[in-house]
Amino acid sequence: MILPIVAYGDPVLKKKAKDIPEDFPKLQELIDNMWETMYNAHGVGLAAPQIGRSIRLFLVDASPFAEDEDLTDEERKQLKSLKKAFINPQIIEEKGDEWAFNEGCLSIPDVREDVFRKPEITIEYVDEDFNKKTETYDGLAARVIQHEYDHIEGILFTDKLSTLKKRLIKSKLQKIAKGEIRIDYRMRFPKAKKTR
């Protein structure tokens, strides 16, 4: 089932999400719905807060980035195979010199800005069967994971921008919160005027 994606301005996007217990009701159904929602919106990642659920869960499918000609074969291979759900993740290490990449977000349509992040991460999480994993990612794969991880920490990519950049996009963000935008996927707007 395709769920509405929560737009910028909703308090759920600014809350630190809670861990998921093993007996969480209908977790697999929620994950399946999130995949469907993400693909319907042409996203490469989706975190539970973006569908209004403040729980530590996000999905990543970085395969669309694998088409990039500028990447090495190794990078393309990593991106092509990166399709998974991360449950109760914890980034335990970030390494290297920060680099900029133009990021966007399904909760903040039509806003793209350069964001600086470290190039390598090590993350601990449990998979859909609650098996514990520890994995290291770098480059674009690391970045997609960091972006989604920020969502469950209550951080948006716009929070990482300079004061000037934030000022420049402020009116755009307010329009998004009010639903004064055109998008081709379902969204829920926190400040939209209710129509009778």
Side-chain angles (χ1 to χ4, degrees), residues 27 38 43 49 65 67 71 84 94 140 157 160 184 191 196:
L27 180 60
M38 183 184 95
F65 287 127
E67 309 303 310
L71 300 172
K84 60 177 66 173
E94 293 184 309
L140 272 177
F157 84 91
K160 295 182 173 288
D184 58 3
K191 297 187 172 92
R196 291 178 184 264

Side-chain angles (χ1 to χ4, degrees), residues 3 16 36 66 68 79 89 91 93 107 190:
L3 307 166
K16 192 172 162 122
E36 200 178 338
D68 190 337
L79 292 166
I91 290 181
E93 188 178 24
S107 291

Side-chain angles (χ1 to χ4, degrees), residues 135-150:
E135 293 164 352
T136 299
Y137 294 93
D138 59 16
L140 272 177
R143 179 170 291 269
V144 175
I145 292 167
Q146 286 164 310
H147 177 107
E148 297 311 323
Y149 183 82
D150 276 355

